[in-house]
Amino acid sequence: MNGPTKMKTDPLSLVFCALGGLVLLFIVAPLASMCIDCSRPEFTETLQDAEVQNSIWLTLSTSMAATLVFAFAAVPFAYLLARKDFPLKGLVTGIIDLPIVIPHSAAGIALFGVVSRTGFLGKAAGQIGLSFVGTGAGIALAMAFVSLPFLINAARDGFLAVPVRLEKAALNLGASPSRVFFTVSLPLAWRPILSGLILMWARGMSEFGAVLIIAYHPMVTPILIYKRFGEFGLEYARPVAVIFIAVCLLFFVAFRFLAREKQHAQR
Amino acid sequence: MLSVERISKTVGALKLKDISLEVRPGSYLVLLGASGVGKSILLETVAGLVQPDSGRLLLDGKDITNEKIQRRRIGLVFQDGALFPHISVYANIAYPLRCKKLKASAIRQRVTELAEDVGVAHLLKRSPTALSGGEIQRVSLARALAGEPRCLLLDEPLSSLDTKARFEMRALLRKIHRRSRQAIVHVTHDYTEAVALATHVAVMEHGTIVQSGTVHHIFQRPKSEFVAQFVGIKNFFKGNLRDPDSGQGKTKHFRTDGLDFSVLTDGAPGSGFVCIRSEDVTISNGVFSGQDAATRQAHTSARNNFEGTILDIIPAGPGMEVIIDIGRDKPMELAAMVTSESVKSLGLHCGKKVSASFKASAAKYIEQ
């Protein structure tokens, strides 16, 4: 059996448990402390603050929009990466991971050069009356730039896990390549793709550096938290952070649950 | 109907070299070969999933070497069935029909017919993940037949099945072949499948076809040592199995060309084949008849004892193959593998009368 086995109380497992506990504490303690330190009146007042509400809605919606729009290109691209060999494939794979490793403020600067009114994309968009700097579209671009690798990598791994034999069988049964993609490959890789979509969406929501460069206004929640911390201090920033984390967690858990339900339904 | 002409293909370490085959309408060709000789690659090349490096494929006289996979009308049943796990059994069988954009009512009718034909009508709503190995192969077969292929390719369809499922699947393949005269190419490493199903056999070694012909031709006249070792059976008789007169026990009678063999088998009465390895046949000097024959029968565990004349003695690997004519009404050859010491000590030579014996358990019965 290759799966996890029931944990025994041997010394090595106990040592690993202790180390794991420390890691968990490191993640949970600051979040728990922040929630405990946030008083109820502060929390209620912030919850009713229109600026906070608008900011959270903007963050959720732009990240969702960025995820869905880019998925149309990213998922077929991931299929290509999983199934085809082509020159410089290694380089292409490396480029996809680039946004993960470069500092996000640097990514924002790079993107700004392209989408600003003097950049080629900004210029082209300007001709049809569209602007990226200081707009929701610009925020979505910044979020997508830093979070796309999560979707592409998850989708590629999902497609790789689909047996090529099944696609061959579908072709042999008379299906066109596009029919094979939509009726066999995509449904079988759906769960990893959904995980990738959730990850991309969540990563986009938490983006600060790149969005700050492209669009300080309208203000997404990470920037609002930073602004309140800088201008009014920890007490004003904390309730916004708690609410934002709670909303993100709520959606994250809900989507994960849906993804799991989908998997059970397929069994 | 299907002609494979000098197909060559290299995939990693696997090499197909100048493969030529002819599949006639209504024939059942079994492609025999050990694992890793390129049988599956050959099938995928014929199906169009792999493009050959050289050579060509003709179907009904038309060159299909570069024809699109979808237009070839060559069905392929994969070794593990390759059913789509995310859709029901019904949707799996309906898949090729939906590709043809048939009406829902026509699809329903055809799926129902096919499911009844292969015995999976009660499984249509199930998920393929909840099927047994035999059921998977039946559904996969129905799905391939739904595409109405001119030629059906089966890639080791019985290899992952247990004994009972294998027998049932063999019977189903025989039924389909007999009824529709569907041209079939069946790849396997198991010679008993060839005996049970094939009208023609081709033997593959090192990526090339080393011998092809009818079942009798291949089994009784192996062209090379490899073929002889691989098919391994020279004693190969067609006939009818019937229950013992007493109706008790598993030892049954097999009648072939005027001779009766005792055969230890669970097989049902009917026509079939009996195979006996030449290593399982023993030779003794002297001919027993009348009372002597009954005495001999009483003193040996071998249920099959025949008198015959040695026709030939052929060196075969480490031993000698002695061919004995045990026929009564017409010649019937039985091969026995003995050591060269036995040939000397028994004084065996062509024309000598000897007795040949083999046990009922050494006679392997294969249903036709």
Side-chain angles (χ1 to χ4, degrees):
Chain A
M1 196 171 81
N2 295 322
T5 54
K6 198 175 176 184
M7 194 149 76
K8 291 175 185 169
T9 51
D10 58 285
L12 185 68
S13 295
L14 290 174
V15 171
F16 285 5
C17 264
L19 292 171
L22 283 175
V23 172
L24 275 180
L25 195 65
F26 177 67
I27 296 169
V28 174
L31 296 174
S33 154
M34 185 174 67
C35 293
I36 292 163
D37 290 345
C38 179
S39 70
R40 196 165 172 176
E42 275 175 359
F43 184 81
T44 321
E45 197 182 319
T46 311
L47 204 58
Q48 289 162 350
D49 185 336
E51 189 186 25
V52 173
Q53 288 177 359
N54 290 339
S55 161
I56 289 177
W57 170 244
L58 176 72
T59 312
L60 292 175
S61 59
T62 45
S63 185
M64 179 68 82
T67 304
L68 293 178
V69 168
F70 276 88
F72 276 101
V75 173
F77 181 41
Y79 181 73
L80 198 72
L81 289 171
R83 286 290 181 254
K84 306 289 177 189
D85 278 325
F86 49 84
L88 303 177
K89 188 176 174 184
L91 181 67
V92 171
T93 311
I95 290 171
I96 289 162
D97 288 336
L98 215 53
I100 297 175
V101 293
I102 61 170
H104 288 181
S105 51
I109 296 287
L111 198 59
F112 187 77
V114 179
V115 301
S116 68
R117 287 180 185 86
T118 53
F120 77 89
L121 194 61
K123 262 186 197 169
Q127 286 176 349
I128 54 165
L130 192 68
S131 173
F132 291 114
V133 178
T135 64
I139 294 171
L141 275 187
M143 287 174 166
F145 187 86
V146 296
S147 58
L148 256 175
F150 294 96
L151 173 59
I152 295 175
N153 288 336
R156 184 191 53 206
D157 292 346
F159 286 125
L160 279 173
V162 176
V164 178
R165 221 177 48 263
L166 296 183
E167 293 174 352
K168 285 182 172 180
L171 285 171
N172 180 253
L173 292 166
S176 63
S178 61
R179 193 180 181 94
V180 174
F181 177 75
F182 285 111
T183 61
V184 177
S185 319
L186 197 58
L188 286 173
W190 176 242
R191 191 169 175 270
I193 291 172
L194 190 61
S195 290
L197 288 168
I198 295 168
L199 272 177
M200 182 179 172
W201 178 63
R203 181 64 196 84
M205 279 194 301
S206 62
E207 181 50 27
F208 172 76
V211 177
L212 184 74
I213 306 286
I214 304 288
Y216 188 78
H217 285 287
M219 207 171 275
V220 292
T221 317
I223 294 178
L224 181 68
I225 295 167
Y226 177 71
K227 182 197 157 208
R228 291 202 171 182
F229 177 70
E231 289 178 1
F232 309 110
L234 186 62
E235 282 183 16
Y236 286 86
R238 194 162 43 209
V240 188
V242 170
I243 292 167
F244 187 53
I245 288 171
V247 170
C248 290
L249 273 179
L250 191 73
F251 278 97
F252 193 69
V253 170
F255 277 121
R256 281 274 175 197
F257 182 73
L258 282 176
R260 189 184 284 181
E261 284 296 296
K262 177 88 185 166
Q263 187 198 20
H264 285 311
Q266 282 183 6
R267 275 182 186 164
Chain B
M1 186 189 77
L2 174 69
S3 302
V4 177
E5 292 185 356
R6 306 198 66 183
I7 288 286
S8 293
K9 176 74 189 174
T10 303
V11 182
L14 277 178
K15 277 186 182 175
L16 299 182
K17 288 175 283 185
D18 270 349
I19 299 258
S20 292
L21 281 173
E22 184 74 32
V23 184
R24 296 192 181 91
S27 69
Y28 196 123
L29 173 72
V30 168
L31 197 58
L32 264 176
S35 297
V37 295
K39 304 186 299 285
S40 297
I41 292 289
L42 178 60
L43 287 196
E44 291 199 2
T45 307
V46 173
L49 297 166
V50 172
Q51 199 61 20
D53 296 335
S54 62
R56 60 180 198 154
L57 297 159
L58 301 173
L59 185 66
D60 297 327
K62 186 187 164 197
D63 190 337
I64 57 159
T65 318
N66 298 309
E67 181 71 282
K68 278 186 170 184
I69 303 164
Q70 297 87 348
R71 290 189 191 155
R72 290 197 179 206
R73 295 193 63 197
I74 290 179
L76 176 58
V77 174
F78 287 80
Q79 189 172 353
D80 64 352
L83 295 182
F84 307 131
H86 59 297
I87 54 177
S88 66
V89 167
Y90 179 93
N92 264 280
I93 301 174
Y95 193 88
L97 304 169
R98 285 180 176 148
C99 290
K100 288 180 182 171
K101 297 188 167 52
L102 296 187
K103 282 184 180 173
S105 56
I107 291 175
R108 200 177 311 116
Q109 189 186 343
R110 185 74 185 123
V111 171
T112 311
E113 282 170 11
L114 284 163
E116 279 169 6
D117 261 8
V118 302
V120 295
H122 60 296
L123 303 172
L124 286 176
K125 287 182 183 167
R126 286 234 202 125
S127 161
T129 53
L131 302 181
S132 68
E135 289 166 344
I136 286 172
Q137 282 300 340
R138 284 165 183 269
V139 174
S140 185
L141 188 62
R143 188 179 67 173
L145 290 170
E148 296 181 339
R150 290 281 293 127
C151 184
L152 186 63
L153 312 178
L154 310 175
D155 190 0
E156 305 229 11
L158 314 179
S159 64
S160 58
L161 307 184
D162 59 38
T163 310
K164 183 172 175 286
R166 195 178 302 150
F167 275 100
E168 289 170 355
M169 189 70 188
R170 264 189 205 170
L172 176 64
L173 289 172
R174 262 196 305 269
K175 185 181 94 175
I176 287 169
H177 180 244
R178 269 190 200 147
R179 194 186 52 200
S180 61
R181 304 309 296 166
Q182 169 78 58
I184 295 175
V185 179
H186 174 141
V187 155
T188 181
H189 59 267
D190 182 353
Y191 75 89
T192 60
E193 288 175 25
V195 174
L197 296 163
T199 56
H200 294 80
V201 176
V203 184
M204 230 176 141
E205 183 193 13
H206 301 315
T208 192
I209 302 287
V210 288
Q211 191 176 0
S212 60
T214 63
V215 184
H216 276 87
H217 176 76
I218 297 285
F219 278 65
Q220 293 187 322
R221 299 277 181 270
K223 200 164 133 186
S224 66
E225 198 175 331
F226 170 79
V227 180
Q229 282 177 355
F230 193 74
V231 298
I233 304 291
K234 277 202 164 180
N235 299 315
F236 177 81
F237 305 98
K238 187 175 183 185
N240 280 292
L241 188 76
R242 58 185 170 82
D243 284 324
D245 298 335
S246 61
Q248 298 288 316
K250 285 185 176 178
T251 306
K252 296 178 181 168
H253 295 304
F254 181 82
R255 172 156 281 253
T256 176
D257 286 333
L259 283 180
D260 269 326
F261 295 160
S262 291
V263 180
L264 190 64
T265 176
D266 288 325
S271 67
F273 297 91
V274 157
C275 303
I276 307 136
R277 287 159 50 87
S278 52
E279 291 88 336
D280 291 331
V281 179
T282 56
I283 300 174
S284 53
N285 267 328
V287 174
F288 301 86
S289 58
Q291 189 65 35
D292 284 345
T295 310
R296 179 185 166 85
Q297 191 81 352
H299 284 86
T300 174
S301 67
R303 294 294 89 194
N304 297 287
N305 301 290
F306 302 96
E307 300 160 8
T309 309
I310 294 177
L311 296 177
D312 205 354
I313 301 174
I314 312 154
M320 305 290 270
E321 193 171 70
V322 182
I323 310 293
I324 309 152
D325 178 12
I326 57 166
R328 284 185 190 157
D329 308 328
K330 62 178 190 176
M332 187 182 286
E333 291 180 8
L334 183 71
M337 183 67 80
V338 296
T339 59
S340 43
E341 287 84 358
S342 297
V343 173
K344 276 185 192 165
S345 63
L346 292 172
L348 302 180
H349 56 84
C350 289
K352 183 173 183 178
K353 295 255 183 199
V354 289
S355 287
S357 314
F358 57 90
K359 294 165 75 170
S361 57
K364 189 178 175 80
Y365 175 70
I366 302 167
E367 278 180 16
Q368 192 184 19

